[in-house]
Amino acid sequence: MHTLLAATAADSEGFFAWLNALFVEQTWPRALLIVIVVGLTVPGLVSALVWAERRGSALIQDRLGPNRCGPFGMFQSFADLAKFLFKEDVIPGHVNKPIYLLAPAIAVIPPLVALAFVPFGANVFIADVDTGILAAFAVTSLHVYAISLGGWASNSKFPLLGGVRASAQMISYEIALGLSALGVFIIVGDLRLISVVEMQTDGWMIGAGETLRSAGDWTRLFDWNIFKQPLGALIFMIAGFAETNRHPFDMPEAESELAAGFHAEYSSMKFALFFLGEYAAMVVFSSLFVVLYLGGWTLFGLENVLSDWVTSYGAENAGWINWASVAEGFLHVGIFFSKTLVLLLFFIWVRWTLPRFRYDQLMRLGWVRLLPLSLAWLVVTVIGVAIVRGL
Amino acid sequence: MDPWTFWLGGSLALGGGLLTVTRKNAVASVLWLIVAFLGMSTLFLGMDAGFIGVLQILVYAGAIMILFLFVIMLLNLTPSGLLRMDRPRGTTLGLASAAAFIALIVAIVTGGQQWTGGQGGGSEAAILERTGEASMLEGSVLDIADQLFNAHLLPFEAASVLLLVAIVGAVALTKRKL
């Protein structure tokens, strides 16, 4: 949090220096600006994802999906939102009221806070913390309380079963998630997520001093960690599906077994908050996957095409806003966001393609398969890094 | 530490702890204990010990308490089943251990002046003056890893063996036939 708090002194006084601080340098007003932008973008992105989910499921199942509200039914999510807002907000008489009201709030807050640790571009991030991925994991690990407490506080059979399932499932897969991500950090030697991205432009041989190839050379694709850590990336992906309660691991709400599971007793906007939380958690997990394994904001050198312009523009227009730097920020965020969007569509594709696991299969996969596999892969990674670095 | 951070973290930790032991509903106790852990994490972050602060949330609030919650939900403990405050022996033992703990704290705070360098606690300057090394105070991941895997490797491994023994013991107790 040091970067967040320690305001960089602007070079010159005045309004333009302040504007420059807002758009270009790492200062707290800039971090606040990004907080506001991210906080407003994610709910909009979620409504777009809900539309994509419904149209995608229809495509896969040979239906049409929502097609009445706007072109291709694109405004359906807004209609849904209006319905959520104006429906009667029922609080059943048998619930534990304080915890019942608390659970939907917990569903939304951790995923949104976790985005504070994700670097969207070389200079576009909210907080560059020393503990990096651990901080992000710590915040997302609190997400499970929404489901368990919501299920418990509802005080009826199916929600309780959903809540109990959620708590056991999240704990089981959190271990595999952490262990699989550890391989990346052994290669990088740093927990900071910005270092992880920068390391992925450093050549295929784990920082062995290979000279950088020219910008736009597609073979730089192989610098990405997914090629250095294929099995780790696979385990991280599977565990991430389980952590976000997405199909094929959506045990806590399994419609065919538990009605709607943990949110069976929730209506109108409180149900919508659970929904928002689930999709926001998907966004967080996809962003983390992009940072850890898919090179973050880098795209085989394309992210650096503006760097000469940034330097020259900054030199020519001292005391003015460095618009070149702002453009570079947008380029980085655009690359990052495109990768994240591909992963989010992958989430949707998987949901409507694979059947759901049985609960005992889920537990066996987590403890008997993924946990030993991720430990073995960790040993392989350590040996590989030791050989390459000549230790 | 920033006084606002101290008062915020301290009141969260103490208030959460107090409410944890006074609630009759076990789930509410768990929730207040999580609040207490968040308060302690705030204190650690205020002391620039980011790694410990994050681990406090990740391990205690995020993992251990969810197991507590799992067990409570599975057994469906009711308030009446938990109210056993009428046992005199339990009350006496509890008060005795609380008194011993408070005595320990008082002994450290008042009597241990030579341990804190004689100038009101473990400020960075005081510890630097006493030990001649400042690096131990850095709460970064690298420093803690260096301490754990170089200076204190043996106690660290001994602790992990102890945990392994506990796991084996738990499995042996629950599984009659291995």
Side-chain angles (χ1 to χ4, degrees):
Chain A
M1 315 238 168
H2 302 289
T3 325
L4 186 68
L5 298 174
T8 317
D11 290 335
S12 53
E13 303 273 295
F15 182 62
F16 290 121
W18 188 80
L19 274 184
N20 211 31
L22 190 58
F23 287 110
V24 181
E25 282 160 30
Q26 290 303 331
T27 52
W28 70 263
R30 187 188 137 92
L32 190 66
L33 182 77
I34 301 174
V35 167
I36 293 169
V37 170
V38 169
L40 291 177
T41 308
V42 170
L45 182 62
V46 167
S47 62
L49 276 177
V50 171
W51 173 79
E53 177 109 56
R54 298 180 68 179
R55 290 293 290 195
S57 71
L59 189 75
I60 289 169
Q61 298 173 342
D62 205 14
R63 294 183 286 116
L64 273 176
N67 63 344
R68 294 305 161 101
C69 213
F72 303 103
M74 276 170 147
F75 301 143
Q76 185 65 44
S77 294
F78 299 104
D80 287 345
L81 182 67
K83 189 186 82 177
F84 281 135
L85 280 172
F86 291 112
K87 261 183 86 167
E88 187 191 353
D89 196 5
V90 185
I91 299 178
H94 53 78
V95 301
N96 181 325
K97 208 170 165 193
I99 299 179
Y100 177 85
L101 295 178
L102 186 68
I106 303 179
V108 180
I109 295 167
L112 288 181
V113 173
L115 282 173
F117 305 111
V118 176
F120 303 105
N123 291 310
V124 189
F125 50 82
I126 294 167
D128 171 29
V129 291
D130 186 36
T131 39
I133 188 78
L134 283 180
F137 279 166
V139 175
T140 51
S141 70
L142 299 178
H143 187 224
V144 57
Y145 286 111
I147 299 173
S148 324
L149 290 176
W152 180 83
S154 295
N155 195 17
S156 61
K157 287 192 197 75
F158 288 142
L160 181 67
L161 281 174
V164 172
R165 280 180 170 195
S167 49
Q169 173 180 336
M170 298 283 225
I171 282 291
S172 310
Y173 280 79
E174 216 163 70
I175 300 167
L177 190 78
L179 279 176
S180 59
L182 213 54
V184 169
F185 296 97
I186 287 174
I187 292 177
V188 177
D190 196 346
L191 286 175
R192 287 170 63 237
L193 289 171
I194 291 183
S195 313
V196 173
V197 175
E198 280 166 357
M199 199 68 178
Q200 294 182 62
T201 62
D202 219 19
W204 159 230
M205 287 311 284
I206 317 175
E210 200 175 329
T211 50
L212 288 179
R213 277 146 288 174
S214 61
D217 184 349
W218 69 271
T219 55
R220 290 186 60 180
L221 200 69
F222 294 103
D223 295 349
W224 291 357
N225 275 335
I226 195 168
F227 296 102
K228 302 170 191 166
Q229 289 278 311
L231 194 59
L234 183 69
I235 296 170
F236 189 83
M237 175 65 88
I238 295 171
F241 271 78
E243 283 291 301
T244 50
N245 290 311
R246 284 289 294 190
H247 226 90
F249 303 110
D250 62 343
M251 293 298 145
E253 57 173 299
E255 294 90 347
S256 50
E257 304 158 23
L258 300 182
F262 67 94
H263 57 59
E265 304 280 356
Y266 282 91
S267 59
S268 77
M269 206 56 205
K270 289 207 263 316
F271 166 74
L273 285 180
F274 275 120
F275 220 70
L276 177 65
E278 181 189 324
Y279 280 85
M282 265 165 72
V283 174
V284 169
F285 173 73
S286 304
S287 315
L288 285 179
F289 192 88
V290 167
V291 168
L292 291 182
Y293 295 105
L294 297 180
W297 65 82
T298 66
L299 192 69
F300 33 92
L302 197 67
E303 76 279 3
N304 290 328
V305 290
L306 294 177
S307 60
D308 290 342
W309 186 41
V310 172
T311 320
S312 62
Y313 195 94
E316 285 165 22
N317 303 288
W320 179 248
I321 307 165
N322 193 338
W323 287 114
S325 178
V326 175
E328 194 181 42
F330 274 105
L331 177 72
H332 286 182
V333 173
I335 293 171
F336 187 92
F337 187 67
S338 315
K339 291 177 182 177
T340 311
L341 208 57
V342 170
L343 271 178
L344 288 170
L345 294 178
F346 179 70
F347 264 92
I348 292 171
W349 183 27
V350 166
R351 173 169 177 184
W352 298 100
T353 310
L354 295 182
R356 184 182 292 131
F357 279 82
R358 246 182 17 232
Y359 198 70
D360 60 318
Q361 292 173 329
L362 171 100
M363 280 295 152
R364 187 165 302 129
L365 179 72
W367 288 104
V368 182
R369 302 271 152 72
L370 290 186
L371 180 60
L373 202 61
S374 54
L375 276 173
W377 180 250
L378 200 59
V379 173
V380 171
T381 306
V382 170
I383 293 172
V385 169
I387 290 171
V388 170
R389 298 217 178 119
L391 293 174
Chain B
M1 197 185 341
D2 182 7
W4 287 105
T5 318
F6 174 76
W7 288 112
L8 177 76
S11 51
L12 275 180
L14 283 180
L18 202 64
L19 285 165
T20 304
V21 292
T22 50
R23 294 303 90 188
K24 286 177 183 167
N25 188 333
V27 172
S29 287
V30 167
L31 280 183
W32 284 114
L33 194 53
I34 294 166
V35 171
F37 284 139
L38 293 181
M40 278 162 71
S41 169
T42 311
L43 289 177
F44 281 127
L45 290 176
M47 289 188 283
D48 275 339
F51 183 63
I52 307 282
V54 164
L55 279 196
Q56 181 81 28
I57 299 179
L58 186 65
V59 175
Y60 286 95
I64 292 180
M65 294 324 292
I66 197 69
L67 284 178
F68 272 54
L69 201 62
F70 177 72
V71 172
I72 288 169
M73 281 164 61
L74 206 63
L75 301 178
N76 206 7
L77 294 178
T78 50
S80 58
L82 285 172
L83 272 179
R84 287 291 174 87
M85 290 298 282
D86 50 338
R87 290 181 179 176
R89 199 201 294 165
T91 315
T92 321
L93 271 178
L95 283 176
S97 55
F101 183 70
I102 290 172
L104 189 67
I105 300 271
V106 169
I108 289 172
V109 170
T110 58
Q113 282 302 308
Q114 71 277 26
W115 181 73
T116 54
Q119 31 198 327
S123 72
E124 196 160 347
I127 291 179
L128 182 66
E129 190 187 2
R130 190 173 70 253
T131 61
E133 50 186 89
S135 65
M136 273 192 55
L137 279 179
E138 299 290 327
S140 77
V141 183
L142 196 66
D143 287 322
I144 289 171
D146 185 53
Q147 289 292 320
L148 275 184
F149 293 109
N150 287 329
H152 306 292
L153 183 61
L154 194 65
F156 178 72
E157 292 297 336
S160 61
V161 169
L162 189 68
L163 286 175
L164 187 67
V165 169
I167 294 172
V168 171
V171 172
L173 278 176
T174 48
K175 276 207 164 184
R176 290 285 161 81
K177 216 173 73 176
L178 283 174

